[in-house]
Amino acid sequence: TGAISSLQRQMEIKESELRRIRFEKELLQKQLREREVQLQAVSDKLCSLTEEQRQEEAMVMMEEENHNLQQVVTEQEFQLAEQNKLISELQGTISQLQAEVVTTRLQLLKQKQAQKETQSQVEALQHTELQTRVALEIISSKFERYRNKIIQATFSVEGSQDPQAELTDDEVLEAMQKIINERAEFQQMLKNKGSK
């Protein structure tokens, strides 16, 4: 937004310069027209003189006026050419600034769209995380119930002593392995004695 404001301010400055130069151009053209009017007045004055005076005065005045007018015309043509060149440059600069404004606005639009998409992804991940936490709690609860059942089954065997403290998973597995080994030994003994 700051970049767009800066570009717009630059455009306003350039457009102001362009208006000033066009005004100066019009002023120069007005001065040229005034010179033409003066020349016409001199010409009219010459017409009212006698032929001889007219010729003498006309020659002097025309040479002087032509010289002055030639200088003015040359100078003003040069100024007009410079101003036309400056107008062309300013118009090019304004076009460039307008293009930069459009480009900057497009970039801002893309950034907003990307931000919106990122926010949507974050919300989706948060939702997935919540679902995962709920599922983990359910699984943990089921695992704890299953573990308690295993402990209960393991230590409800005849001859087993109830645990005095909270058991680790390794201790539960060790107790179960002991029961399995004892049963296997008992089955082997029965088999050796010929019992089914």
Side-chain angles (χ1 to χ4, degrees), residues 21-31 33:
I21 289 167
R22 282 178 174 160
F23 175 75
E24 290 176 358
K25 179 182 175 182
E26 289 174 3
L27 192 62
L28 286 171
Q29 288 173 335
K30 183 180 177 183
Q31 289 174 357
R33 287 193 296 272

Side-chain angles (χ1 to χ4, degrees), residues 28 40 46 61 78-79 104 132 146 154 160 166-167 179:
L28 286 171
Q40 184 63 42
L46 287 174
M61 289 178 66
F78 175 76
Q79 289 179 0
T104 306
T132 304
Y146 182 65
T154 301
S160 297
E166 187 175 348
L167 295 172
I179 292 170

Side-chain angles (χ1 to χ4, degrees), residues 8-196:
Q8 287 174 337
R9 280 197 299 272
Q10 290 181 39
M11 274 176 50
E12 289 170 2
I13 291 168
K14 295 296 182 184
E15 286 171 349
S16 176
E17 288 181 16
L18 188 59
R19 285 193 296 272
R20 179 182 60 79
I21 289 167
R22 282 178 174 160
F23 175 75
E24 290 176 358
K25 179 182 175 182
E26 289 174 3
L27 192 62
L28 286 171
Q29 288 173 335
K30 183 180 177 183
Q31 289 174 357
L32 276 174
R33 287 193 296 272
E34 288 173 356
R35 290 291 182 181
E36 288 173 358
V37 170
Q38 290 173 4
L39 188 59
Q40 184 63 42
V42 169
S43 177
D44 293 342
K45 184 180 177 183
L46 287 174
C47 290
S48 65
L49 298 174
T50 63
E51 190 65 31
E52 190 177 334
Q53 289 174 329
R54 188 184 302 163
Q55 288 180 357
E56 288 178 7
E57 197 168 337
M59 289 297 293
V60 173
M61 289 178 66
M62 283 179 66
E63 285 177 4
E64 185 179 345
E65 192 63 28
N66 280 340
H67 179 71
N68 292 338
L69 285 173
Q70 190 63 42
Q71 284 184 332
V72 171
V73 168
T74 302
E75 182 181 345
Q76 291 183 347
E77 283 178 347
F78 175 76
Q79 289 179 0
L80 282 173
E82 287 294 314
Q83 287 177 351
N84 284 333
K85 181 181 176 184
L86 187 55
I87 286 169
S88 177
E89 289 174 357
L90 286 172
Q91 285 174 335
T93 304
I94 288 169
S95 298
Q96 183 181 350
L97 289 171
Q98 287 173 337
E100 288 178 13
V101 168
V102 171
T103 302
T104 306
R105 283 180 176 162
L106 284 173
Q107 288 174 346
L108 282 174
L109 189 63
K110 287 179 182 178
Q111 287 175 355
K112 285 181 180 178
Q113 186 65 28
Q115 187 177 5
K116 189 176 178 181
E117 289 175 2
T118 303
Q119 183 64 31
S120 177
Q121 290 174 356
V122 167
E123 289 173 0
L125 287 172
Q126 288 174 340
H127 182 67
T128 303
E129 181 188 9
L130 181 61
Q131 288 180 323
T132 304
R133 285 179 183 276
V134 171
L136 182 61
E137 288 177 5
I138 292 171
I139 291 170
S140 297
S141 177
K142 286 182 178 179
F143 174 76
E144 192 60 33
R145 287 198 301 272
Y146 182 65
R147 186 176 184 276
N148 289 337
K149 285 180 181 179
I150 290 174
I151 293 171
Q152 185 179 0
T154 301
F155 290 95
S156 64
V157 175
E158 187 177 348
S160 297
Q161 294 181 351
D162 291 336
Q164 300 300 315
E166 187 175 348
L167 295 172
T168 64
D169 291 342
D170 289 338
E171 289 171 339
V172 173
L173 288 172
E174 187 179 339
M176 286 179 64
Q177 190 64 49
K178 183 179 178 183
I179 292 170
I180 291 168
N181 291 340
E182 287 175 352
R183 287 188 177 181
E185 288 174 5
F186 182 70
Q187 285 179 346
Q188 188 63 40
M189 283 173 54
L190 290 175
K191 188 176 179 181
N192 291 340
K193 288 182 178 181
S195 174
K196 290 184 180 180

